[in-house]
Amino acid sequence: MSGQADTRSASPGAEIAPRCRLSARINIRLLVLLAPISLLIALFLILPIAIMFNRALTGEDVIAAYVEVLRSPVYTTVFLTTLKISALTTIITLLLGYPVAFALRFGRPRYRAIVLMLIVLPYWLDFIVRSYSWMILLGRKGIVNELLIWIGVIDRPVKLLYSLGSVVTGMVQIMLPMMILTLFAAMLRIDARLMDAASIHGASRWRSFARVFLPLSLPGVYGASLLVFVTALGFYITPALLGGTSETMISQSMLLLASELLDWKTASIAGTLLLFVTSILVLVYNRLFSIDRLWGGS
Amino acid sequence: MKDNEVEDSVAILREVLEETKGMGRREFLSRLGAVAASTPLLAGVAALAGAPGTARAASDPVTTIGWGGAWKEAFEKSYFEPFTENTGIPIQYISPYSFPKLQAMHDADDMQVDVVEAGGLDSLRIQKLGMDAPLDWGVIDKSVLSPGQLKYGNAIGAITLSEVLVYNKDKWPGEDHPKTWADFWDVEKFPGPRSMHRRVYPVVEAALMADGVPADREAMYPIDFDRAFRKLDEIKPYIDVWWTSGSQQQQLIQDEEVDLICMWNGRASDSIINRGANFRISWEQALYNGDVEAWFLLKGAPNPDAAMKLLDFVGRPEPQAVFARTLFYGPTNMAAYEFIDDELARELPSHPDNAEKSLLMNYDWWSENLDDATKRFEAWLQS
């Protein structure tokens, strides 16, 4: 507040000095505000990752260990499965989430509050509970099968669980709130009058959406998709409970290595490779879609 | 002065066990709870009277680590509550169980856990890594233990567990039900979805028995992996789920997700006896862990004296009987069977009738061969 007053009252000639003082003050404040979280991140994120790198990049026969991991059919399959499941989850959450976010953007405040509440509500439930709920719904004697038999669509239970479909269904449900909320936040920043302007110039509703709103919402789409994709890469419980062996994701393999086989080295190598692949993906993605505009980059 | 606190706990348990023999789990547990609530804290009283030593012990807990959930509850009922009741020594329980965590504490020379009940391979790992501390046989009364409980020298034998064939009784109500692993493999005669453990042992043992290897340790080990995986190829399309956790096994039979499953006997009994799953256990060719599980005092334990007292208690027949009646895993102290009625005793892995039909798993062999076998198994699952 006082900083703002300073700059305003300063004469043009003395402009530079107060600005410096101002930014210095802000810097110190910023530092103080950022210190706790930086410390937390340094201690509990950066340091463990550094230890993991150290374990994965040192010792004898490092190269040989990497070659073994990359050549082993288990890990390559699991890596590809992880990417496939995460991509599918992202695409489906996007397709389901975009219309909801759009409706929220232009909905009445009352309606908006209710829908937001419904979106956030499942977030309060534990992953395990939500995954078990899907087991009850999709099981051999589950509600979906019983219903289909009762209606007469099928005459014996079909296998819904322990498949790619059940894993993606479970993950989509878990990731959907994140997708909707991120999209909604991005859409709020789009000036609604631009749509009106398009209408005034004779564009149909669909055309004004397709030519004005959709392109403006794309940075939000790219950002939200990336967020969902990267989060999905690390899923463990849902594929373990709802998937079959073909839906094994990399976290499951890492847990097996670290806690059953006590092979921390290979687990670290798998973790490092996952981080490496993810970073590359994010860089390429950013090149193509420049998502850093979302958080203020150019 | 030899302390009588542990003896007191044992005596109270013995009384309840005798009184409730044959009763259901619920009545048994409520009776046990009532007794615990009415017993005065002897150590607490002693501390108030100013007895030295006891007061300090009363404030410092013994720390242990375990699986949590049903395991925690059963451990509290059988071991920790009766122990604390009379010694005044509280137990601090950390969960979930994680061997890597213990190993990290050991490597960092900063052990924060006193006592651990270690399963199968971890018992062997603890000894191999030198994480076990010597026991004080002046405090621990050897005379009340079974010989099998003392096989490691520095540990007290704990519980027994088998992986057993469990089948849907609605589907096969009569005598012509699946009994052996050959039956489990026979998808023509016994059709239906199946589930097995997503772990190389004891899946390969089951496969080899299905292929004609007898339930005999000498004949089984070393494992012929090529033969085992050839046999596993046959059953793979019929295994709907490869389970990874205890509660998942129970969900699979309680929701009738599968008709045949190879699962932990305690979980199966809990679902069958307490949760109305219409399934039955076949003890034929059960995959039995024997006396491999044990209680250890860890090197560098923060409270070794109190921990030693706990170790004097946990191997005795009475708490082991309470545990068996709570979670259906068998005792290693054979005297515990005195406190278990015959019907329930027949559902426990270490009952002589069951043990005789079982394959006694060779964990020593597995501890040397686990890595490559697990990698091969996981690769096979994904292929």
Side-chain angles (χ1 to χ4, degrees), chain B residues 238-255:
Chain B
Y238 303 94
I239 305 288
D240 278 41
V241 201
W242 294 87
W243 58 260
T244 51
S245 79
S247 54
Q248 193 187 3
Q249 303 163 45
Q250 294 192 262
Q251 179 264 335
L252 287 170
I253 61 172
Q254 284 167 209
D255 294 348

Side-chain angles (χ1 to χ4, degrees), chain B residues 136-155:
Chain B
D136 182 350
W137 301 108
V139 175
I140 299 169
D141 187 355
K142 259 186 183 174
S143 69
V144 292
L145 303 175
S146 287
Q149 289 181 282
L150 296 164
K151 71 175 210 172
Y152 295 136
N154 262 343

Side-chain angles (χ1 to χ4, degrees), chain A residues 96-114:
Chain A
L96 292 174
Y98 194 93
V100 180
F102 185 81
L104 275 175
R105 170 66 181 86
F106 293 102
R108 288 201 199 120
R110 246 176 77 105
Y111 152 88
R112 188 186 275 178
I114 293 170

Side-chain angles (χ1 to χ4, degrees), chain A residues 13-24:
Chain A
E15 204 182 10
I16 295 168
R19 260 213 193 141
C20 284
R21 230 189 307 135
L22 171 72
S23 62

Side-chain angles (χ1 to χ4, degrees), chain B residues 171-382:
Chain B
K171 203 155 174 179
W172 301 290
E175 268 312 292
D176 198 20
H177 61 76
K179 295 177 189 78
T180 62
W181 297 113
D183 294 339
F184 190 91
W185 254 251
D186 192 343
V187 293
E188 302 281 313
K189 192 174 173 198
F190 301 108
R194 288 152 157 80
S195 177
M196 290 189 100
H197 195 166
R198 186 169 181 166
R199 199 176 68 188
V200 65
Y201 67 97
V203 167
V204 290
E205 280 100 331
L208 288 170
M209 283 195 274
D211 204 35
V213 177
D216 171 58
R217 201 174 222 217
E218 300 304 314
M220 182 62 72
Y221 301 95
I223 298 278
D224 181 346
F225 282 109
D226 290 335
R227 184 175 171 187
F229 279 101
R230 267 200 307 277
K231 194 67 185 171
L232 280 168
D233 283 336
E234 290 176 21
I235 198 72
K236 195 180 176 195
Y238 303 94
I239 305 288
D240 278 41
V241 201
W242 294 87
W243 58 260
T244 51
S245 79
S247 54
Q248 193 187 3
Q249 303 163 45
Q250 294 192 262
Q251 179 264 335
L252 287 170
I253 61 172
Q254 284 167 209
D255 294 348
E256 288 187 61
E257 206 56 57
V258 294
D259 291 327
L260 278 153
I261 180 170
C262 171
M263 71 185 282
W264 292 334
N265 77 284
R267 294 287 183 163
S269 286
D270 183 51
S271 286
I272 294 167
I273 298 171
N274 301 323
R275 296 167 208 276
N278 201 20
F279 278 68
R280 248 179 82 183
I281 295 176
S282 164
W283 283 96
E284 212 69 51
Q285 300 181 333
L287 302 140
Y288 176 41
N289 76 350
D291 38 26
V292 70
E293 290 206 23
W295 293 89
F296 288 88
L297 175 67
L298 293 162
K299 193 172 276 175
N303 194 3
D305 293 342
M308 207 69 76
K309 282 191 188 171
L310 179 66
L311 288 173
D312 180 33
F313 181 63
V314 293
R316 291 173 184 251
E318 293 83 0
Q320 286 214 343
V322 179
F323 185 78
R325 287 173 64 172
T326 312
L327 211 61
F328 311 108
Y329 291 113
T332 43
N333 193 324
M334 297 314 273
Y337 278 101
E338 280 175 38
F339 307 107
I340 303 170
D341 66 284
D342 195 53
E343 195 187 344
L344 180 60
R346 287 177 182 284
E347 300 300 325
L348 300 174
S350 52
H351 188 280
D353 289 358
N354 293 337
E356 196 195 288
K357 288 185 244 177
S358 305
L359 169 75
L360 182 59
M361 305 249 307
N362 189 340
Y363 278 81
D364 287 304
W365 188 85
W366 273 116
S367 73
E368 301 297 325
N369 295 281
L370 184 68
D371 279 35
D372 289 340
T374 300
K375 282 170 188 160
R376 182 167 177 180
F377 181 64
E378 281 295 314
W380 173 81
L381 282 175
Q382 317 262 329

Side-chain angles (χ1 to χ4, degrees), chain A residues 205-221:
Chain A
R205 286 179 80 125
W206 167 249
R207 202 173 157 79
S208 69
F209 168 76
R211 300 295 292 271
V212 178
F213 191 85
L214 185 65
L216 285 172
S217 71
L218 283 182
V221 168

